Amino acid sequence: MSFFAIKTTLAVLLVAAGLTAAISMLTLMGKPQKRMSVSALMKIHRTAGYVFVGLLVILAVMGVRYLAAAGDSLALRGVLHWTLAVALILILTLKLAIVRTFKQFVKFAPILGMTVITMALLVAAISAGFFAITRREAPTEEAGRPATEAVQPAVEAAQLVVEAASLAGDPKSGEALFAANCSNCHDANSTESRIGPGLARLFNRGELPSSGRPVTRENVRAQIVTPLGNMPSFQSYISDEGLTDLLAYIETL
């Protein structure tokens, strides 16, 4: 399973645990007639809260690894995602401190709890919405023809430019670029995922792991320049000539 798939699964479980904790809390505080006993609802709320905190810690560790690999190339969406996530963690920490230690302020705990789940939903919605939009906007084919004729001239022109740039390339220079820019996230010697998928025998596969597009030079180049999923763009860090060398190296893996 890829890094992105694992992170997505954990995020879905996080949201589910958060909603369970929130609903049980609202039922405890706002419903005069409850189908379950107070003790059962409190147990559900507590268990869901522990699961939420545990999943949040795991996702935070994975996020730190990704942030370290992305460095200054982190996209604006990533910056917003991280800002909200850090704020969520701080508010959750404050809530836990009130519940555990500063019980004189316990009346604020429900408000803080609802704020935490709202921010968790917001963080998840930002990533899910971005991925859904970029997947929908990816070029598709039906019966061997592009989905829309309007984009065909631009697509063909872009392909001609890319194919012309891809005629040459120095694998040795590409190997150095890979070591400097790609090796933190991608393994060149296997298909196992590190932070991103392993790239061994990439050009022998049917489709790219992140975007699902056919494995061609132009599609690999597009994934590096305008990536889908959580991968940062390297357009500002690798020149066109460098990209050609990098592609030449990846073809040799």
Side-chain angles (χ1 to χ4, degrees), residues 94-110:
L94 177 60
K95 177 183 182 292
L96 293 176
I98 288 175
V99 171
R100 294 289 182 180
T101 306
F102 304 102
K103 296 185 182 296
Q104 65 269 33
F105 300 110
V106 74
K107 64 180 180 180
F108 297 110

Side-chain angles (χ1 to χ4, degrees), residues 14-94:
L14 177 80
V15 170
L19 287 173
T20 301
I23 292 171
S24 59
M25 180 185 68
L26 290 173
T27 304
L28 274 169
M29 300 184 63
K31 242 184 174 182
Q33 294 182 346
K34 306 173 180 64
R35 294 184 178 180
M36 301 179 65
S37 65
V38 171
S39 61
L41 286 169
M42 290 182 64
K43 185 175 181 180
I44 291 173
H45 177 74
R46 189 179 298 110
T47 302
Y50 286 143
V51 172
F52 182 89
V53 172
L55 290 170
L56 184 61
V57 170
I58 296 172
L59 285 167
V61 171
M62 296 175 71
V64 168
R65 288 184 59 199
Y66 176 78
L67 184 63
D72 292 337
S73 63
L74 191 66
L76 177 60
R77 177 182 61 87
V79 174
L80 179 60
H81 182 102
W82 257 98
T83 302
L84 291 171
V86 170
L88 184 158
I89 292 172
L90 292 176
I91 295 172
L92 178 59
T93 302
L94 177 60

Side-chain angles (χ1 to χ4, degrees), residues 12 14 24 38 73 116 142 186 236:
V12 170
L14 177 80
S24 59
V38 171
S73 63
V116 166
E142 182 178 355
H186 301 282
S236 302

